[in-house]
Amino acid sequence: MVLFQKPDNNRFRSFVYKYLRFQSSIYARVVYIIAILSFFLFIAYGTIFNSVYGEYLDTVIRQRGNDIGSIIESSLYYSMLKNDNTALQSTLDIINTISGVDQVNLYDYENELVYSSFFSDTLRHSDPDCISCHTDFGDMFPQKEKAYRIIDYKSACEMSENSDGHRQLLIRSPILNERSCYTASCHYHGPEEEVLGSLIIKVPLESLDTAVSKSSAEFFLLASLITFILVSILIFLTNRKIRRPLSAIISASEAVSKGDRNRRLEINPNLLDDMRMVSQAFNNMLDNLDAANKELENWSHQLEYKVQKKSEELSDIQNELIHIERIASLGKLSSSVAHELNNPLSSILTYTKLVSKKISRMELDAGLSAALEKHLKMIEMETKRCGEIVKGLMDFSRKGQEDFKNVPLHKVLKQTYELVEHRMKMANIHFYTDFDAQNDLVFCNENQIKQVCVALLVNASEAVSENGEILMRTSNPDKEYIKLDIVDNGVGISPEDIPHIFQPFFSAKQKASGIGLGLAIVHGIVQSHQGRVDVESEPGKGTTISVVLPLVKD
C-alpha cells in the first residue's frame, strides 16, 4: 500500500504545482478576466432582454387587452343601450365560448355583480362577486379610467381559482354615462351621473406566457451559446497570440540561462506588435551578448597572445641584459688589457729607437744600413699605430661623465674614422669621408659623440654586403646647425620598421647579430645634445641616417 500511495501523492503534488504555476501566470489572469467579463456579459444580455422584452410584453398585453375590451364593449353596447337582459346574457354566453376570453362580468355603479359569463354549475369556478372579499374594491381601480391588473394562481383573489396555473389579465373598463345613454327612452339615468357601472374582463395569458417562456429559453440558450463561442474564441486567440509566444520566450530564456547561446525566437508575421517587439528585443539582446562574448573571447586570445609575446620579449630582454653585462665586463677587461698593452708598446718603441741609434753608429754597408733603418722605421710606425688604436679603445671604453666642452666635430669624426678603418678594411668595405661643413664647433661630450658615430658606422657596415660603400659626410644646412650623414648602399629599412628603430631592443637587421640597443642609445645621446636624428631609407637601395647638432654661437 505504501508503494502505491507515493505516486498518488507525487501526482497530486505535481497537479497542485502545475495549478499554482498556471494560476500565477499571465495567461491564467487573462483567462480569469475573460471568464469574469463573459459572466457579466451574460448578465447584461439577460438584463437587456428582460428590460426590452418586458416593456414589449407589457405593450403587447395592453394592446391585446384594449383590442379584446373594445370588441366586447362593442358587442355589449347595443344590448346595454336597449336594456335587453336576454340579449346581454346571450352575448355574454357567446363571449364565454371564445378561447381568448375567460370571463366577462358586468357590475353596476355600486360594484355589485349584474351579469356574468360564468356558469354556476362549473366544477372549477371563481367567485365574480368582488365586493364579497374586497371591501375596498372601489379604491382598487380608478373610477373613470380603464385599468389593468395581472393576476396568477398565487394571487389571493378567488377569481384565479380556475386559472389552471397560468396568469390572467384583468381589465376593468368603466361604463360612462354618455349622451346616447341618458337621452335614450329606455334609460332612467340622469345626465348628472358620470359612471353607470364597470366591465371586468379576464383574458388568459397562457399562450403569451408560453411564447414568452419559449422565447426566453431560446434567448438564454442562444446567449449561452454565443457567450461560450465568444469565450472559446477569446481563449483560443489568447492561447495562440499570448500564451504560445510567452511560453516560447520563457523556454528560450531558460535555454539561454543554461548556456545555449544559439537559441533564437521565431518571429512570425501574425505576432502581436508587443510580442514582436519583445521577441525582436530578445533576439537583439542575444545577438549583442553573442557578439560581446565573441569579442571577449577574441580579447582573451589576444591577451594570451600578448602575454606570451611579452613573456618572450622579457625573456629576450633578460638575455640581452646578460649580454650587455657581458659586453660591459668585456669593455672593462679590454680597457685594462689596452692599458697593459701600452707598457710593452712603449718599450718596443723605446728599444726600436735605441737600435736605430746603434745602427747609425756602426760602420755597415750603406745598402744594409738603409734596409735596417727602413725596417726599424716600419716597426716604429706600426708600434705608434698600435698605440693610437689602444689609446682609442681606452678613450671609447671610458664612461662619458665628463663635462661638455666646445669641440670641433671634424676632429671627433677623424678619430672615429681611424678607430673603425681597420674593421672596414677587414670587411672589404669601401669607406669614404667628405667633411664639407665650414663650421663644425659643437658643445658636446667628445666621447659620447664618438660613441654615436661608431654605433652608426657599425650598423651601416652590418647592412652592406662585401664591396659595399659607406660615406661619412658633413654639411651646414644653415648657420645654426651642422649635419652629419652616414650613407650606405645596404639592404635598407622597410617603411613600417622606420618608426620603431629607435625603440629599445627593436632590431630591423635580418641577421641576429644586433641586440637592438644601438640606435636607442644613439637617439638618447643626440637628444641630450639638443639635436635630432633623421632616417631616410629605401629597401634594396640603402639608408641615410642624419645627426643634426647645434653649433656653438659666436
Side-chain angles (χ1 to χ4, degrees), residues 207-323:
S207 59
L208 187 61
D209 287 344
T210 302
V212 170
S213 299
K214 183 178 179 181
S215 299
S216 299
E218 292 177 352
F219 172 79
F220 282 104
L221 180 62
L222 180 62
S224 301
L225 182 61
I226 292 174
T227 304
F228 176 76
I229 294 174
L230 181 61
V231 170
S232 300
I233 293 174
L234 289 176
I235 291 177
F236 173 76
L237 292 177
T238 53
N239 179 64
R240 185 174 182 180
K241 299 292 185 179
I242 297 177
R243 183 174 177 271
R244 289 182 182 178
L246 286 177
S247 299
I249 294 174
I250 294 172
S251 177
S253 301
E254 291 177 350
V256 171
S257 66
K258 294 178 181 179
D260 185 6
R261 295 183 300 179
N262 297 324
R263 189 70 171 270
R264 294 295 184 274
L265 291 175
E266 183 180 359
I267 301 177
N268 297 321
N270 297 327
L271 280 177
L272 297 176
D273 292 340
D274 295 340
M275 292 299 175
R276 183 181 295 106
M277 292 174 62
V278 172
S279 300
Q280 289 177 348
F282 185 83
N283 289 342
N284 292 336
M285 179 189 68
L286 292 181
D287 292 339
N288 294 333
L289 286 175
D290 194 23
N293 287 330
K294 290 182 179 178
E295 186 175 357
L296 286 175
E297 289 178 358
N298 292 334
W299 275 106
S300 178
H301 294 158
Q302 292 179 6
L303 184 60
E304 290 178 0
Y305 175 76
K306 290 181 179 180
V307 169
Q308 183 179 0
K309 293 295 291 182
K310 289 298 180 183
S311 299
E312 294 176 357
E313 290 178 4
L314 288 174
S315 178
D316 294 339
I317 290 171
Q318 185 178 7
N319 294 332
E320 297 302 337
L321 288 175
I322 294 173
H323 185 58

Side-chain angles (χ1 to χ4, degrees), residues 531-551:
R532 71 176 188 273
V533 182
D534 299 328
V535 180
E536 293 180 4
S537 182
E538 186 174 354
K541 292 186 178 181
T543 303
T544 300
I545 298 181
S546 302
V547 178
V548 180
L549 296 173
L551 295 171

Side-chain angles (χ1 to χ4, degrees), residues 49-213:
F49 176 80
N50 290 332
S51 176
V52 176
Y53 203 70
E55 293 180 0
Y56 172 74
L57 182 62
D58 291 341
T59 303
V60 170
I61 291 173
R62 287 177 179 272
Q63 187 64 39
R64 183 176 180 182
N66 287 333
D67 294 341
I68 294 175
S70 299
I71 293 172
I72 293 176
E73 289 175 2
S74 299
S75 301
L76 298 177
Y77 179 77
Y78 185 76
S79 300
M80 289 189 295
L81 184 61
K82 296 296 185 180
N83 199 16
D84 187 352
N85 296 334
T86 303
L88 182 62
Q89 186 63 49
S90 177
T91 303
L92 291 175
D93 293 340
I94 293 172
I95 291 172
N96 193 41
T97 61
I98 299 174
S99 60
V101 179
D102 279 351
Q103 286 186 15
V104 179
N105 301 313
L106 186 63
Y107 298 87
D108 59 11
Y109 68 95
E110 293 181 351
N111 297 322
E112 291 184 358
L113 182 63
V114 179
Y115 296 100
S116 175
S117 62
F118 159 71
F119 295 100
S120 59
D121 58 350
T122 302
L123 295 176
R124 296 186 64 188
H125 66 279
S126 60
D127 187 4
D129 190 7
C130 294
I131 60 174
S132 62
C133 59
H134 296 285
T135 57
D136 57 345
F137 182 74
D139 299 331
M140 293 173 61
F141 302 98
Q143 295 294 323
K144 299 179 181 181
E145 296 177 1
K146 184 179 289 187
Y148 303 88
R149 186 183 295 272
I150 295 177
I151 59 176
D152 53 17
Y153 69 96
K154 293 182 181 180
S155 175
C157 183
E158 293 182 357
M159 292 180 70
S160 65
E161 291 183 0
N162 63 347
S163 62
D164 293 329
H166 60 265
R167 298 191 306 161
Q168 292 177 321
L169 174 64
L170 186 66
I171 307 171
R172 181 183 181 277
S173 298
I175 302 174
L176 302 178
N177 188 14
E178 300 178 354
R179 182 178 178 81
S180 59
C181 293
Y182 63 78
T183 56
S185 58
C186 60
H187 271 269
Y188 55 91
H189 300 290
E192 70 281 357
E193 297 183 22
E194 296 181 359
V195 181
L196 302 181
S198 61
L199 182 66
I200 294 180
I201 305 170
K202 291 178 63 178
V203 178
L205 300 178
E206 182 178 5
S207 59
L208 187 61
D209 287 344
T210 302
V212 170
S213 299

Side-chain angles (χ1 to χ4, degrees), residues 1-14:
M1 291 182 66
V2 175
L3 293 177
F4 289 102
Q5 191 174 1
K6 252 183 188 176
D8 292 340
N9 292 335
N10 294 334
R11 195 178 300 113
F12 176 74
R13 291 177 182 175
S14 176

